[in-house]
Amino acid sequence: MTWQKLREIIDDVKEKFQENVEREIYVEKKIAKIIVKKESIIEVARYLRDTHRFDHVKGVTGVDLSRLKEGGGPYIELLYHLGSLEDQELDDVILNLSVMLDIENPIVSSLCSIWPSVELHEREVYDMLGVIFNGHPKLERILLPEYWMDIPPLRKEYKVPGRE
Amino acid sequence: MMLEEKKKIEVYDMGGPRLTFSYGPQHPGTGHFRMTVTVSGDTIVDLEPDPGFVHRGKEKMAEYKTWITNIPHLERPAILDAAGMVIPYCLTVEKLMEVEIPERAKYLRTIVAELDRIASHLYWFSLYGVFLGHTTMFLWCVNDREFILDLSQLITGQRFTHAYYIPGGVRNDAPKQVPKELIKEFKYYYSRMIGREPSQEELSEDFKKYVLAVAHFMELRLDHYYEMFFNSEIFLERVRNIGVLKREDAIRLGVTGTTLRASGVKYDTRVNDPYDAYPFLNFEIPVRDEGDCYARAMVGYQEIRESLKIIRQAVEQMPEGPFKLKQHPLVIKVPKGEAVGRAEAARGEILYYIVSDGTDKPYRLRMITPSFRLLPALKHLTVGARLADIPPIYWSLNYWPVEADR
C-alpha cells in the first residue's frame, strides 16, 4: 500500500519540479530514488518536508561513482535517506533524495536548515568523501583524526595501506 | 554549535569563569568517546560530542572483502548485538539477489536476534546501574546474561559475534538436545536466585523445553530487577524528570530506538517494515510519553519482556525444514543494482545502502547505525543540565561509541 503512495509522491515531485528532476529509480521493495538537479535540492527538500511529511533524515550517503562500470562517471552521488515518523502510511518506506556532484568540485547546499537531523551525517560525508556543504553550521572532521592530510578515504582512488 | 536552538540555560555561577574540559575518551563512564564540556558552576553551558576514537573504517573495509567475508567484520561494531548488525546486511543482499529465505531460517534468525537484544539490553542495564552507583544491578545482569549467551552458543556455536547469518538463510540448525552440564549449571543457578528448584519439566534436555525454561527464569528475574533497581529510590531520584526529550524534539533530531519510543513515538522496524518471522508473531511495542531517563530505561525493560514473548512463540511455532537455500561457496556474485535494507537492532533502526556492480565484492556499502543518530539528542539533553546528570543521560540513551564510529 505504502509503496504505491511512494510512487504517487515521486510522480507528484516530478510534476511539480519538471526539468529539475533528472530521473527517478523505483523498484518496489528495493529502492525508490529521485535524482534532482543540484540547484533545486533545497526547494525539493522543503517541498517533501512540508507537503509529504518526511520529517527526518535517517542518514546521508556519498558514493564515488568514478569506478562504476555501468552508470558510473566522474561524479559523487549524494543520497539523503528520508523517512517519516508522523505519517503512519509512510513508516515502511524510505525515499532517497539524490543529487549528482562533480567529483572535481563537489559543492552542494547543506540541508541543515530543512532537517536538523542531517548535521552530523553531512559532516561525516565531508570527512569521508570531501563534499563541501554550503551553509553548514559546523563543517569539521568528525570520525577521522583532526590531523588527517590524505585524500578522503571513501574516494575510490584512496588505497588502504597494505591491502593493494 | 548545533543548528538547533539552544535551550535556555539557567546559570548558577557566582561570577566565576567558565571551565571547559574533556569528559573522556579515557573515562570509564563514556567508553571510547569524548565530550568537550563547558560548565559554569555545575551547569553545562555547552557540550560538544566528539566521536571517532574507535573508527575502524568498516565501509572502506567492506569494499575489499567479498560478500561472505564481510559478515564477521560487520558485526564487530556492536558485538553483543551481532544479529542486529548483520541481519539488515543479509536482508539487503537478499533484495539484490532476489531470493526468499526458508521459513525455518526466518524463525532461527528471529530467535537469535531477540537473544542478542536481551543480552545487549542486560549489558546496558548493568552499566546503567553501575554508573549510578548500583553495583548489584551490574552483577545480576551480567550473571543472568550468561544463560542467554549459552543459548546463543547452543544455536549458533558462538556466545557472541556468531557470524550466523548468511545471505540465503543461517549457517547451521538449532540442536535437538542440550548438554547435561548446562542443565546442571542452570539448576544450580536457578535455585540460588529464585529460591526453589526448577520443575522437572524445566530441567528437560529437550532444546525447546530448555529455551522455555530459560525464558521463564528471565521473566522471574525481571520481577526482581523491578523491585531492586527500577523501583528503587536510589535509581528513581537520579532519573525521574532528568533529560526530558519532547516528542517534537525527538522527531526533529531524528533519534531512534528506545529513545524515540520513550518520547511517545510508536516506531519499530519490526512492526512497520516487518522482516524475518516478525509478521507471524504476536508482540507489543512498549511506548512511554514522559521522555525522561526513567522512561527510556523502562521502555528497554519492557522490551526484554516482549523479546522473551517472541522467543517463546518462535520456538513453539518454528517449522521443520531447510535452514538455508544452499551451501554458498566463499565467493558469490551479487547482481548489479542498489538496495536499501533495514532492521531493528537493540539500539534502534539500522540501515544499509548497498551498491553492487555484479562482482564478488560490494561497490559501496553504507552502514547507518542507531548510535550515530543518537548524538544530536545527547547534546540537546545535556546542555542546561547539571554536570552530575551526564551519566544518567548518557546511559539512558544507550549510546555505544564503537557502533557510532564503525
Side-chain angles (χ1 to χ4, degrees):
Chain A
M1 191 61 206
T2 48
W3 277 89
Q4 285 163 23
K5 191 172 175 190
L6 200 58
R7 178 79 250 187
E8 285 160 23
I9 290 173
I10 293 174
D11 290 340
D12 180 45
V13 171
K14 262 171 74 182
E15 204 178 301
K16 178 111 177 35
F17 291 93
Q18 302 279 341
E19 69 279 5
N20 281 328
V21 177
E22 283 182 2
R23 65 195 158 92
E24 89 276 10
I25 292 173
Y26 176 85
V27 187
E28 205 157 299
K29 306 268 184 220
K30 213 161 150 186
I31 192 154
K33 183 159 90 170
I34 319 178
I35 303 172
V36 297
K37 288 216 170 100
K38 193 167 106 171
E39 297 75 30
S40 62
I41 186 159
I42 288 199
E43 284 92 83
V44 178
R46 190 174 290 125
Y47 181 73
L48 284 171
R49 182 194 65 180
D50 295 341
T51 314
H52 295 298
R53 297 174 77 194
F54 284 99
D55 47 29
H56 73 293
V57 175
K58 294 178 192 296
V60 183
T61 303
V63 188
D64 180 351
L65 294 176
S66 57
R67 303 273 164 92
L68 192 63
K69 285 184 196 89
E70 271 177 45
Y75 301 110
I76 287 179
E77 184 182 12
L78 198 65
L79 295 110
Y80 290 84
H81 309 287
L82 313 181
S84 178
L85 296 171
E86 291 278 22
D87 194 340
Q88 295 282 317
E89 279 194 52
L90 286 175
D91 61 8
D92 74 339
V93 286
I94 295 169
L95 179 65
N96 300 286
L97 178 63
S98 159
V99 59
M100 295 287 185
L101 307 174
D102 181 18
I103 198 162
E104 297 297 326
N105 192 21
I107 301 179
V108 69
S109 304
S110 163
L111 294 187
C112 283
S113 54
I114 314 283
W115 290 294
S117 44
V118 301
E119 190 187 327
L120 296 182
H121 296 289
E122 284 186 348
R123 269 177 75 181
E124 194 191 336
V125 174
Y126 162 75
D127 215 2
M128 294 296 170
L129 283 137
V131 176
I132 311 283
F133 292 93
N134 277 337
H136 191 284
K138 184 179 179 175
L139 202 60
E140 289 174 11
R141 294 218 176 283
I142 181 164
L143 292 181
L144 293 180
E146 289 79 3
Y147 51 80
W148 181 267
M149 296 295 279
D150 212 334
I151 51 174
L154 281 180
R155 293 270 183 106
K156 287 287 171 185
E157 72 247 36
Y158 179 80
K159 301 288 177 223
V160 177
R163 285 257 174 207
E164 277 180 77
Chain B
M1 286 306 300
M2 299 282 276
L3 191 72
E4 43 156 300
E5 74 273 9
K6 279 187 84 172
K7 269 193 269 176
K8 194 184 164 203
I9 301 165
E10 273 185 77
V11 182
Y12 293 92
D13 65 340
M14 314 304 283
R18 290 179 170 186
L19 176 68
T20 302
F21 58 90
S22 264
Y23 198 99
Q26 308 296 345
H27 191 279
T30 60
H32 314 288
F33 169 68
R34 180 171 71 170
M35 296 176 257
T36 311
V37 190
T38 306
V39 290
S40 173
D42 74 341
T43 305
I44 299 160
V45 182
D46 190 21
L47 184 140
E48 203 52 61
D50 180 12
F53 285 88
V54 271
H55 175 60
R56 290 180 278 189
K58 290 276 166 232
E59 290 174 14
K60 188 74 181 175
M61 216 192 292
E63 291 170 14
Y64 285 87
K65 290 181 173 278
T66 64
W67 293 100
I68 298 293
T69 53
N70 261 327
I71 294 167
H73 87 87
L74 282 177
E75 58 191 22
R76 257 63 190 174
I79 52 167
L80 282 174
D81 188 24
M85 295 289 114
V86 175
I87 284 181
Y89 169 74
C90 292
L91 290 173
T92 318
V93 176
E94 281 155 13
K95 278 183 187 183
L96 286 167
M97 294 167 78
E98 290 174 354
V99 293
E100 176 86 18
I101 63 169
E103 287 287 292
R104 190 175 172 82
K106 289 184 179 178
Y107 278 88
L108 283 168
R109 277 187 183 185
T110 305
I111 293 169
V112 178
E114 294 306 318
L115 287 173
D116 278 12
R117 189 183 313 278
I118 296 172
S120 176
H121 277 10
L122 286 178
Y123 192 67
W124 168 29
F125 290 138
S126 68
L127 291 176
Y128 203 166
V130 84
F131 284 104
L132 301 185
H134 208 302
T135 323
T136 313
M137 192 60 184
F138 177 78
L139 295 172
W140 278 17
C141 287
V142 170
N143 261 338
D144 296 341
R145 195 175 60 111
E146 197 60 26
F147 291 93
I148 302 293
L149 296 185
D150 282 341
L151 264 185
S152 297
Q153 188 180 13
L154 269 180
I155 301 173
T156 68
Q158 281 289 334
R159 287 155 59 82
F160 38 75
T161 57
H162 328 290
Y164 183 54
Y165 314 89
I166 47 169
V170 293
R171 216 174 273 282
N172 49 281
D173 205 351
K176 297 260 183 293
Q177 292 280 313
V178 179
K180 279 199 178 63
E181 297 77 31
L182 194 55
I183 303 282
K184 206 175 145 196
E185 196 187 325
F186 178 65
K187 183 184 173 189
Y188 174 77
Y189 191 70
Y190 186 106
S191 44
R192 290 295 291 264
M193 287 293 139
I194 308 296
R196 61 179 160 81
E197 295 248 315
S199 67
Q200 217 34 261
E201 178 133 353
E202 286 177 320
L203 292 176
S204 163
E205 282 178 31
D206 182 50
F207 174 74
K208 199 185 277 182
K209 283 182 182 158
Y210 179 72
V211 174
L212 296 179
V214 171
H216 178 63
F217 168 73
M218 268 317 294
E219 242 164 34
L220 295 173
R221 289 295 282 162
L222 284 177
D223 294 340
H224 294 180
Y225 293 169
Y226 186 75
E227 282 166 33
M228 199 269 303
F229 181 68
F230 293 99
N231 201 24
S232 93
E233 208 54 39
I234 302 169
F235 178 65
L236 292 176
E237 284 291 316
R238 292 289 302 273
V239 293
R240 274 255 165 96
N241 299 322
I242 300 292
V244 179
L245 185 64
K246 293 198 199 84
R247 189 189 147 94
E248 58 270 23
D249 287 329
I251 292 172
R252 187 173 55 92
L253 297 172
V255 298
T256 178
T258 45
T259 311
L260 182 64
R261 293 190 282 277
S263 295
V265 185
K266 195 170 180 175
Y267 192 89
D268 190 316
T269 313
R270 289 178 291 171
V271 175
N272 299 337
D273 191 2
Y275 53 94
D276 289 351
Y278 292 111
F280 316 124
L281 304 170
N282 183 16
F283 61 100
E284 296 288 318
I285 300 300
V287 180
R288 283 179 93 97
D289 294 326
E290 302 98 308
D292 56 0
C293 294
Y294 179 67
R296 288 192 278 278
M298 285 312 283
V299 167
Y301 172 77
Q302 291 293 344
E303 272 185 16
I304 299 185
R305 272 191 199 284
E306 295 303 320
S307 296
L308 291 170
K309 215 159 111 185
I310 294 172
I311 291 171
R312 236 191 257 126
Q313 290 175 41
V315 167
E316 283 184 349
Q317 293 177 18
M318 185 160 61
E320 292 295 324
F323 54 88
K324 59 183 157 190
L325 286 176
K326 60 171 184 190
Q327 181 64 47
H328 280 301
L330 208 54
V331 177
I332 55 169
K333 287 195 173 159
V334 171
K336 289 190 193 78
E338 52 186 329
V340 177
R342 58 173 170 169
E344 190 77 14
R347 292 182 176 81
E349 184 185 26
I350 165 162
L351 188 135
Y352 277 83
Y353 168 76
I354 299 179
V355 182
S356 166
D357 58 354
T359 57
D360 56 344
K361 290 169 186 165
Y363 180 79
R364 171 83 167 98
L365 183 145
R366 169 75 164 134
M367 182 185 192
I368 298 162
T369 46
S371 287
F372 195 77
R373 287 171 61 187
L374 294 173
L375 279 173
L378 177 66
K379 174 165 174 146
H380 176 81
L381 294 177
T382 43
V383 172
R386 299 298 189 81
L387 186 61
D389 290 339
I390 288 184
I393 291 174
Y394 178 86
W395 285 106
S396 72
L397 291 174
N398 198 4
Y399 173 80
W400 193 245
V402 196
E403 191 191 282
D405 294 355
R406 284 155 285 147

